[in-house]
Amino acid sequence: MRAIAVTKGRVLLVLAMIAVALMYGGSAASAATTTIDLCAKTGTITLPGAPPVTIWGFGRPTTPGDCSTATASLPGPQLEVTLSATETTTVTFNVTNALPAGHTITFEIPGITFDAGAADVSPGGTLTRSFTAPASPSAAGAANAAGTYLYGSGGDGGRQQAMGLYGALIVRPSTAGQAYESAATAYNVEAPLVLSAVDPAFNNASNPMTFDMHGYRATYWLINGKAYPDTTGITAAAGQRVLLRYLNAGYDNTSMMLLGMHENVVAKDAWPLNNAYDATADTIPAGATEDAIATVPATGGAPNGAGFPLFNRQLHLTNGDQAGLSPSPLPAGGMLTFIHP
């Protein structure tokens, strides 16, 4: 009888060990994964009243690792990750450097904690960087949680970002239609707004590395790589909540102003605020992100026929070098768009 009892005990112990192994092994095997392939390469953009401007930008290759199948854009492509409600998510970036010889790139996302490993890569090589995001909803203060993040390369002493190597990463909670875990961040319309500036003299220099940065002077102020009147408007109906995801990829602190309605600032640098606040204008520091929700008034018209103006409060509202020009008034341009029906 004792032998039978011992045998039963051993069987139960083995079964328990197997169950534990399956539990941990199954959890690791079932973790969600997202892989994003990028190329850093040269390209061109068109700005109002200017010849084509050279950029260094990110693009998504249709064939992983083959940068001939990618097109550089300004800003880089909007990257998105949606968190799982049941498991962690491993996000892996494969970034291929197709810049000219001598330009090592980095890949950085302030606010994201990457796994240990290399952070830069020479021309012709591919850099792999990964991070793990928590299940959603996540605990307050969890690393790599939902939010608005600015990715980019800080190589060549910051000149690479000035040339255009930046873009938006949006990490979404598992609940659709919310910016963060809180229901107070629910929205109807989403508008990512990458704010930046360009000095065509720098971008079109034969060698950006020899350009005297003391003479850098931006003459184009951009929203999502466009200057007004080429900027894309934000379409929203009366009563709808508009999520404004600001990402400041420029080198100046930038104040954005919204006429005809208030915006409720709910997060900064992918960190939800304990005390959200209302503003008509707010300053987004260089390299920072901010999330605000504006509700389109249910009654009453917009300030003008174009809609509710959203613009640079420092009045960077012209295109090109204005020295010696004297039209009165100057045509509108720069960092300006509208929320409209």
Side-chain angles (χ1 to χ4, degrees):
M1 292 295 293
R2 183 175 181 279
I4 293 174
V6 170
T7 301
K8 286 183 177 179
R10 288 176 176 173
V11 169
L12 291 173
L13 177 61
V14 170
L15 290 174
M17 293 174 65
I18 291 173
V20 171
L22 287 174
M23 179 178 68
Y24 284 100
S27 175
S30 64
T33 60
T34 297
T35 300
I36 298 173
D37 296 296
L38 288 171
C39 287
K41 59 183 299 184
T42 60
T44 59
I45 60 169
T46 301
L47 297 173
V53 175
T54 300
I55 63 165
W56 294 351
F58 289 105
R60 298 286 298 266
T62 56
T63 301
D66 182 0
C67 290
S68 68
T69 66
T71 300
S73 64
L74 184 78
Q78 181 174 303
L79 309 179
E80 299 186 9
V81 175
T82 299
L83 301 182
S84 167
T86 59
E87 57 196 5
T88 61
T89 300
T90 299
V91 182
T92 299
F93 299 91
N94 298 312
V95 186
T96 302
N97 183 354
L99 293 183
H103 298 286
T104 296
I105 67 167
T106 65
F107 188 73
E108 305 161 0
I109 308 177
I112 291 292
T113 302
F114 283 106
D115 297 342
D120 56 46
V121 62
S122 300
T126 297
L127 172 69
T128 297
R129 302 204 76 183
S130 298
F131 71 87
T132 300
S136 170
S138 58
N144 305 335
T148 303
Y149 299 89
L150 180 69
Y151 71 85
S153 173
D156 291 333
R159 292 172 188 250
Q160 290 181 8
Q161 184 160 329
M163 288 291 292
L165 283 171
Y166 52 79
L169 167 67
I170 297 175
V171 179
R172 303 186 185 280
S174 59
T175 302
Q178 291 181 188
Y180 291 87
E181 306 291 7
S182 170
T185 64
Y187 62 90
N188 305 108
V189 176
E190 179 182 72
L193 303 163
V194 181
L195 312 175
S196 61
V198 168
D199 177 358
F202 166 71
N203 281 68
N204 286 334
S206 58
N207 183 359
M209 296 304 295
T210 61
F211 186 89
D212 182 2
M213 295 302 284
H214 291 95
Y216 183 93
R217 187 166 67 90
T219 55
Y220 284 90
W221 306 86
L222 313 177
I223 299 176
N224 294 333
K226 302 289 185 182
Y228 188 82
D230 295 340
T231 51
T232 301
I234 302 166
T235 303
Q240 288 192 314
R241 291 163 58 88
V242 181
L243 171 62
L244 303 170
R245 294 186 184 266
Y246 297 108
L247 305 98
N248 188 356
Y251 288 96
D252 296 318
N253 297 342
T254 298
S255 296
M256 296 297 290
M257 185 169 189
L258 180 59
L259 292 184
M261 67 176 92
H262 287 87
E263 57 184 12
N264 184 246
V265 180
V266 299
K268 291 177 178 284
D269 295 325
W271 191 274
L273 300 180
N274 290 328
N275 296 293
Y277 61 90
D278 287 341
T280 55
D282 209 31
T283 298
I284 303 96
T289 71
E290 178 173 301
D291 297 289
I293 296 175
T295 302
V296 181
T299 59
N304 62 51
F308 298 88
L310 177 61
F311 63 96
N312 182 290
R313 184 63 182 82
Q314 291 112 310
L315 300 182
H316 293 307
L317 301 174
T318 57
N319 292 330
D321 189 348
Q322 300 296 309
L325 299 181
S326 58
S328 181
L330 292 171
M335 202 176 282
L336 166 68
T337 189
F338 293 86
I339 299 176
H340 57 81

